[in-house]
Amino acid sequence: MKIHHYTSIETLEMILKNKSIKFNRLDQVDDKAEYKYDSTVYDTNIKLGKYTFVSCWTKSEMENIDLCNRYGKGNKGVRISLDEDMFETYDVGTVNRSFYNNREYCFENFVVSSYINKVGLVDVKYEQNIELYYKEAIKCFDQGVAFKHDNIGIYKKREWGLQNESRFIIHAQPFEPALMSNHPLSFPLALGTAYRNGMELSRTALYIPLKQEVLEHLEITMGPGTTDEDRKKVEKILKDCNIKAEIKDSALKGDL
């Protein structure tokens, strides 16, 4: 099954050159309500969106005017279509496959754990009161914090429903390296301290490699506002990256 991603021609070039997809941190995406809710338990003020990365797609075959305009810079971008099973993933001995070849992959001041992450596409749910799901997602204890991760990154206000969005999601766990020791509880204690202190992660985006064979089935739909020059740019990008793809005109070309 192919899924679709709306973006600029410049970002298309980066995707094809690096053969990877960018996952943006949730506090960098369009719906600010997704990350502004915090936990009021013990006044921890934990901002959940700071620790979740998403890549946004849609399963809908119909072209979406809002997405064309929002992510294609005035309908002058492209829609890329790739197989849903697009990423390099790893079996690291858990019930979940992982984007990383370790059960716990460490960055500068955070960890991505295969125990709390799944690599599959998740449909976004559009609700009137998404803050209720965020409040249910977090439980605070004297010595730490527990999350119901399935509640994070999949709820948007119903006004965004026309986007018909699905996502790949990566949950990160911040930690204070300075607090680590040989004590068996040092890691959960470091996690709890980092969450409570609202630690800023060292990165605002992650890049996940694509399978080479997936790029062989790439389809590109030119935005309804694109020109012949824009098409030539896309053709040159494909040639420079040694990638063959089907390029189609928008069904809305000339109507906007």
Side-chain angles (χ1 to χ4, degrees), residues 163-178:
Q163 291 187 343
N164 200 13
E165 186 179 339
S166 300
R167 289 173 168 174
F168 297 99
I169 302 174
I170 298 175
H171 300 291
Q173 295 175 294
F175 73 98
E176 296 272 10

Side-chain angles (χ1 to χ4, degrees), residues 222-233:
M222 302 300 298
T226 55
T227 64
D228 290 341
E229 284 300 313
D230 293 323
R231 190 184 185 98
K232 289 177 182 177
K233 288 180 184 177

Side-chain angles (χ1 to χ4, degrees), residues 92-139:
V92 291
T94 68
V95 293
N96 299 330
R97 287 186 64 78
S98 175
F99 287 115
Y100 299 100
N101 196 16
N102 285 292
R103 291 183 180 180
E104 292 183 336
Y105 192 90
C106 296
F107 291 86
E108 297 83 2
N109 67 346
F110 65 96
V111 171
V112 174
S113 172
S114 64
Y115 292 103
I116 62 170
N117 281 290
K118 300 177 183 178
V119 299
L121 193 68
V122 179
D123 294 335
V124 170
K125 299 177 181 179
Y126 299 95
E127 304 284 350
Q128 183 174 3
N129 297 313
I130 65 172
E131 61 269 27
L132 297 178
Y133 296 97
Y134 275 67
K135 287 180 180 178
E136 291 176 357
I138 185 168
K139 299 294 182 183

Side-chain angles (χ1 to χ4, degrees), residues 2-17 21 57 61 63 68 72 75-83 210 214-224 226-227 229-251 253:
K2 275 192 163 47
I3 57 175
H4 316 284
H5 179 72
Y6 292 81
T7 190
S8 66
I9 293 175
E10 292 76 16
T11 301
L12 169 68
E13 183 174 17
M14 295 302 296
I15 290 172
L16 298 185
K17 280 186 174 180
I21 294 292
W57 298 73
E61 294 293 331
E63 288 183 58
C68 279
N75 295 318
K76 288 183 65 65
V78 296
R79 185 184 78 167
I80 64 173
S81 302
L82 287 170
D83 296 336
L210 291 163
V214 166
L215 291 171
E216 297 172 3
H217 305 129
L218 170 66
E219 296 176 2
I220 299 174
T221 303
M222 302 300 298
T226 55
T227 64
E229 284 300 313
D230 293 323
R231 190 184 185 98
K232 289 177 182 177
K233 288 180 184 177
V234 171
E235 290 173 346
K236 185 177 186 305
I237 291 169
L238 290 169
K239 182 178 180 181
D240 291 345
C241 296
N242 194 29
I243 294 173
K244 294 181 179 180
E246 179 183 358
I247 304 177
K248 301 185 291 186
D249 285 327
S250 168
K253 190 173 180 65

